[in-house]
């Protein structure tokens, strides 16, 4: 078969629906993730309206019933983590960037890659279909703790609970298929000359995150099968009355669930590293330090999970151990942020939209990290547990990861993905509108949480002793800020769609970056590289003394 | 799509891509079985009374199955040896013998489970039985998958195609074997 035939453009059907091209699969993951984000955002809108204006008509939804409220919060959490953060950060960026950045034509196993997306799509269909079954979508919280999740009589969504488990399990299968592909492609498919320390940080991070996912998710897959059996086949794995133990699920879930935070955090940190180096026009400070700290996070992330069980019943001596490991893990992460700040120091900083998002990531994630210390220390956690303080803390880590860093990456790679530039003015309006409202949503929740507001409460009508009417205005402020936040996202959607057709045409390397994806046309053709590249240096050689240009692409001999 | 991307044929890590991916699959499988078996062991330690339930398993059937599975692994090694020397037909023959071993394993398992179910021990009969059927069932699914994949690879190997796959399915088969080596004492012998 000749080279031309291999790189021929496939027909419509093959190109868009059953493509094995890593770039098209990345787009499928990206757009599925974005649609799911709209759904997840809509759910948040509905239950925040219920919290601000209890039992009133929610425009575009109706009156929220208690059961529906449980389904709404459960599905919001589930969708945003498993069907937005994971597909966009890992699968979309991983699929798009890995082959382009390491200089090869596709993933090592393109058809397994396609299967990965198909299984993922199926999982999304199962999840969304659960809204339509009797009892509605699962309402036992995104952590699905038994016995609540194990018995339909408790969670009142017997069908939804099992569909939730099946959907999550399918999603894990999809990411195992895709993830193994990522790791093998990066290990084996690199361009000649690209040594371990020449791999761009974002690729390293995605691969480390993938391996972390593979190793942490295994026990939960086993646990999910056990929970499904408890639901459907009458076993008692998690039933204390029959020799089981509900705490077992909490251990299996969080042995995955906590590393999962870092599974999505590492790619986000990788995106920020790329953007910071390019827009500071300076060599990334401490490439190896970043890698070593990422490895430290990787190892520590497996020994922090029980900080979620401080209240559930854990030997106090173990609580001390897990407090210490949890506080320890903040050290490498803080170090990483310091390294990024050191990259900024003395650079000639360009405040384009991607850079704004990257800088905002550092500032906002910092707040998430600092408030995490109160929850990692077992003493304070006993007070804060299950309050809105946890909700606010969690969103101060996850919004920077799944929203802010994703916008940094999307605005940065948009020209490469679609061959057009985004509008800068609209980008900046969207940026400031989102960042300000994001803080206004969640700072009030720190306050209500500190005052003792419990999460997962549908309405204070039934819990008059917890109502704290003096705090209601903060709950309203949070909801109103969410409305404004959502409104500002429309600007992004408009910018995204409008620029697809009318944006200024992007040249191959509009940001003057060094990594290999910028050496091919925008968007890259099928097969990526006309001539397979050879790599001569690391990815961050900016402002090298003695060179006329301030960047030095990886594939240029000298 | 008969042509493979350049990415598939590169080996920057110094290992053939097929073998590399097999090891990663096994690595992720270890954590699935690891989580299940760790849960089981913790429960066994906390429930000494489960030993009474475990006493009803047929140790001789488990022992026979261990023998069958280990023998089939020997054929997998011989298939790999044949594939290495380029003899696809011979490799296919040994692969089919391995698959026969796997099928025998499943038949013995079916016989065993029929007896247990007839005696009234089902998935929901108690903590031990839940773990017993789940762990052995998950392992059985891996045996079944291995047999099916192996028959496909044997058909390829018989035409002297994709001989590198013979080694990969062999590695996987040894892994399935090792899982059983853990399951047999934990589910049958420990009382």
């Amino acid at each position: 078969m000749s080279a031309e035939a291999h790189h021929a453009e496939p027909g419509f059907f093959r190109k868009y629906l059953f493509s094995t091209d890593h770039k098209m699969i990345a787009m499928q993951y990206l757009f599925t993730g974005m649609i799911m984000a709209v759904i997840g955002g809509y759910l948040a809108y509905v239950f925040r309206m219920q919290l601000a204006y209890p039992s009133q008509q929610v425009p575009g939804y109706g009156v929220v019933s208690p059961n529906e409220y449980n389904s709404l919060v459960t599905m919001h959490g589930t969708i945003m983590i498993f069907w937005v953060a994971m597909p966009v950060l890992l699968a979309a960026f991983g699929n798009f960037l890995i082959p382009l950045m390491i200089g090869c034509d596709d993933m090592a196993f393109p058809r397994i890659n396609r299967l990965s997306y198909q299984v993922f799509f199926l999982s999304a269909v199962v999840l969304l279909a659960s809204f339509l079954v009797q009892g509605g979508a699962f309402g036992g919280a995104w952590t699905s703790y038994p016995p609540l999740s194990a018995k339909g009589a408790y969670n009142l969504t017997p069908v939804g609970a099992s569909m939730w488990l099946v959907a999550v399990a399918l999603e894990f299968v999809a990411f195992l298929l895709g993830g193994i592909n990522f790791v093998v492609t990066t290990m084996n498919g690199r361009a000649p000359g690209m040594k371990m320390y020449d791999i761009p940080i974002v690729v390293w991070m995605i691969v480390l995150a993938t391996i972390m996912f593979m190793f942490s998710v295994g026990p939960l897959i086993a646990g999910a099968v056990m929970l499904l059996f408890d639901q459907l086949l009458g076993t008692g794995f998690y039933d204390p009355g029959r020799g089981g133990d509900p705490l077992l699920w909490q251990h299996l879930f969080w042995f995955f669930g906590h590393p999962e935070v870092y599974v999505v955090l590492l790619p986000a940190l990788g995106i920020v590293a790329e953007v910071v180096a390019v827009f500071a026009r300076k060599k990334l400070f401490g490439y190896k330090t970043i890698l070593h700290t990422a490895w430290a996070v990787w190892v520590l992330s497996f020994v922090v999970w029980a900080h979620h069980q401080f209240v559930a019943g854990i030997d106090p001596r173990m609580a001390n151990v897990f407090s210490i490991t949890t506080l320890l893990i903040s050290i490498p992460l803080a170090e990483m942020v310091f390294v990024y700040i050191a990259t900024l120091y003395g650079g000639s900083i360009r405040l384009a939209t991607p850079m704004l998002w990257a800088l905002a990531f550092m500032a906002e994630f910092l707040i998430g990290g600092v408030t995490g210390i109160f929850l990692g220390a077992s003493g304070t956690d006993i007070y804060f547990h299950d309050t809105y303080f946890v909700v606010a803390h969690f969103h101060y880590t996850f919004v920077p990861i799944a929203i802010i860093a994703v916008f940094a990456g999307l605005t940065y790679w948009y020209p490469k993905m679609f061959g057009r530039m985004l509008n800068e003015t609209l980008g900046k309006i969207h940026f400031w509108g989102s960042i300000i409202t994001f803080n206004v949503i969640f700072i009030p929740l720190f306050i209500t949480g500190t005052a003792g507001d419990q999460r997962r409460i549908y309405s204070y009508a039934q819990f008059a002793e917890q109502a704290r009417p003096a705090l209601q205005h903060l709950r309203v402020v949070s909801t109103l800020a969410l409305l404004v936040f959502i409104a500002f996202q429309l600007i992004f959607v408009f910018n995204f769609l409008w620029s697809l057709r009318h944006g200024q045409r992007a040249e191959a390397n509009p940001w003057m970056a060094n990594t290999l994806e910028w050496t091919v046309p925008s968007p890259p053709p099928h097969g990526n590289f006309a001539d397979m590249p050879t790599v001569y240096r690391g990815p961050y050689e900016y402002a090298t003394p003695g060179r006329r240009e301030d960047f030095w692409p990886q594939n240029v001999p000298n | 799509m008969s042509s493979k991307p350049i990415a598939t044929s590169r080996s920057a890590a110094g290992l053939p891509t097929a073998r590399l991916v097999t090891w990663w699959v096994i690595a992720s499988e270890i954590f699935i079985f690891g989580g299940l078996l760790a849960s089981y062991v913790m429960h066994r330690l906390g429930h000494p009374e489960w030993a009474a339930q475990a006493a009803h398993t047929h140790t001789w059937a488990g022992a026979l199955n261990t023998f069958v599975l280990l023998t089939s692994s020997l054929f997998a090694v011989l298939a790999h040896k044949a594939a290495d020397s380029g003899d696809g037909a011979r490799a296919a023959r040994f692969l089919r013998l391995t698959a026969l071993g796997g099928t025998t394993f499943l038949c013995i398992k079916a016989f065993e489970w029929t007896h247990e179910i007839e005696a009234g021990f089902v998935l929901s009969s108690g903590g031990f039985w839940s773990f017993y059927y789940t762990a052995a069932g998950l392992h059985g699914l891996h045996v079944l998958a291995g047999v099916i994949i192996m028959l496909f690879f044997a058909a390829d190997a018989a035409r002297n195609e994709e001989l590198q796959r013979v080694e990969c399915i062999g590695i996987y088969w040894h892994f399935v074997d090792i899982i059983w080596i853990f399951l047999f004492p934990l589910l049958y012998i420990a009382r």
Side-chain angles (χ1 to χ4, degrees), chain A residues 8 40 63 98 100 105 129 161 202 261 304 388 409 414 444 481 492 533:
Chain A
V63 178
I98 287 175
L100 280 167
D105 57 341
V202 69
V261 176
V304 297
Y388 270 92
Y414 185 93
F492 175 77

Side-chain angles (χ1 to χ4, degrees), chain A residues 1 6 14 20 103-110 176 180 183-184 187-192 211 214-215 218-219 221-222 225-226 229 233-235 237 242-245 248 252 532, chain B residues 1-8 10-18 20-21 24-25 27-28 31-36 39 43 47 50 123-127 130-131 134 138 165:
Chain A
M1 204 175 207
H6 178 66
R14 257 208 184 294
T20 53
C104 66
D105 57 341
D106 207 329
M107 285 288 172
F109 299 98
L176 282 178
I180 289 173
V183 178
V184 172
M187 283 179 78
N188 255 359
R190 277 171 282 140
I211 301 174
M214 284 164 61
F215 289 173
I221 292 179
V225 171
M226 287 151 71
F229 284 0
L233 299 177
T235 55
F237 287 113
R242 303 171 56 200
D245 185 356
L248 172 64
L252 296 175
M532 297 314 281
Chain B
M1 297 280 275
S2 59
S3 71
K4 290 180 179 172
I6 297 167
T8 317
R10 280 188 180 159
S11 61
L15 222 66
T17 307
L20 188 61
V21 79
W24 278 111
V25 169
S28 67
F31 282 86
I32 300 177
F33 280 102
L36 186 60
S39 306
H43 274 76
H47 295 276
W50 286 11
L123 184 68
S124 54
S125 295
S130 299
F131 273 110
T134 309
L138 187 64
R165 290 179 177 170

Side-chain angles (χ1 to χ4, degrees), chain A residues 461-475:
Chain A
Q462 286 90 3
F463 304 96
E465 75 285 1
Q466 292 210 29
R468 299 184 192 84
L471 297 180
Q472 185 61 21
H473 72 283
L474 288 174
R475 299 175 194 136

Side-chain angles (χ1 to χ4, degrees), chain A residues 20 56 67 231 248 302 319 333 373 412 415 429 476 483 505:
Chain A
T20 53
Q56 291 179 32
N67 283 353
Q231 287 174 352
L248 172 64
F302 284 98
L333 289 170
I373 291 172
Y412 176 57
I429 295 171
V476 174
L483 298 182
R505 281 206 180 277

Side-chain angles (χ1 to χ4, degrees), chain A residues 297-314:
Chain A
V297 171
W298 196 97
V299 172
L300 282 171
S301 77
F302 284 98
V303 288
V304 297
W305 81 89
H307 64 222
H308 293 272
Q309 278 103 287
F310 286 157
V311 179
I314 182 174

